[in-house]
Amino acid sequence: MAEADKIFQVEIITPDRIFYKGEADMIEFNTEAGEIGVYKNHIPLTTVLKPGIVIIHNGEEKKYAAVHAGFAEILGEKVTILAELAEWPDEIDVDRAEAARERAEERIRTKAENLDLKRAEYALHKALIRIDVANYK
């Protein structure tokens, strides 16, 4: 267990559930400006999330989750993440993620006339995140 003076609250909320509510001594996630690691008493900040892996540290324990788009609010004693979608490794259907990866890669490779490249790249990125997080089961 982490030292009490380093502990802060973390809450990850999605439209359909409170995904995580607990303590941490550090949290890592991706923002539009890059990767960020947050400790207790971080400067207050509100930022846009970029799809990626969230790592919640509490002493020697680490929890991994896939988070897709949203916002994060960082206050001295609490980090709140409002995410479009959040998944634990055991919630991810790896076969479905692999199929999504293949579809996205095929759309990008064939460069169809009506291809929305940004959307295809976003779908590929989300699938790759899911596949990566699933490996932390």
Side-chain angles (χ1 to χ4, degrees):
M1 186 62 80
E3 294 177 40
D5 61 339
K6 295 181 181 181
I7 299 295
F8 59 93
Q9 296 299 307
V10 173
E11 197 166 15
I12 301 174
I13 303 167
T14 67
D16 61 335
R17 66 182 168 159
I18 295 175
F19 177 76
Y20 177 80
K21 186 173 186 172
E23 297 179 333
D25 57 23
M26 180 183 177
I27 186 169
E28 299 175 72
F29 54 90
N30 293 323
T31 73
E32 287 293 322
E35 293 179 30
I36 187 170
V38 178
Y39 292 98
K40 184 176 182 177
N41 297 322
H42 191 284
I43 61 167
L45 176 69
T46 300
T47 187
V48 176
L49 289 178
K50 186 174 179 184
I53 299 173
V54 171
I55 306 170
I56 303 165
H57 300 259
N58 195 355
E60 296 297 315
E61 181 185 7
K62 291 182 185 179
K63 292 181 179 1
Y64 295 84
V67 175
H68 305 286
F71 299 91
E73 177 187 54
I74 301 167
L75 301 172
E77 302 278 332
K78 185 174 183 183
V79 174
T80 303
I81 294 177
L82 302 174
E84 170 189 300
L85 177 69
E87 301 167 295
W88 296 115
D90 61 348
E91 296 175 327
I92 295 170
D93 181 338
V94 178
D95 293 335
R96 185 173 172 214
E98 285 287 352
R101 179 189 59 80
E102 290 171 9
R103 283 192 309 275
E105 286 177 341
E106 182 62 24
R107 285 196 311 263
I108 293 167
R109 187 173 28 261
T110 61
K111 295 181 181 149
E113 186 176 314
N114 60 348
L115 173 69
D116 182 343
L117 184 60
K118 250 187 155 20
R119 187 172 173 190
E121 288 172 342
Y122 183 74
L124 176 60
H125 187 65
K126 283 175 55 173
L128 292 172
I129 290 164
R130 285 183 167 127
I131 292 164
D132 284 348
V133 168
N135 289 322
Y136 291 105
K137 285 184 183 177

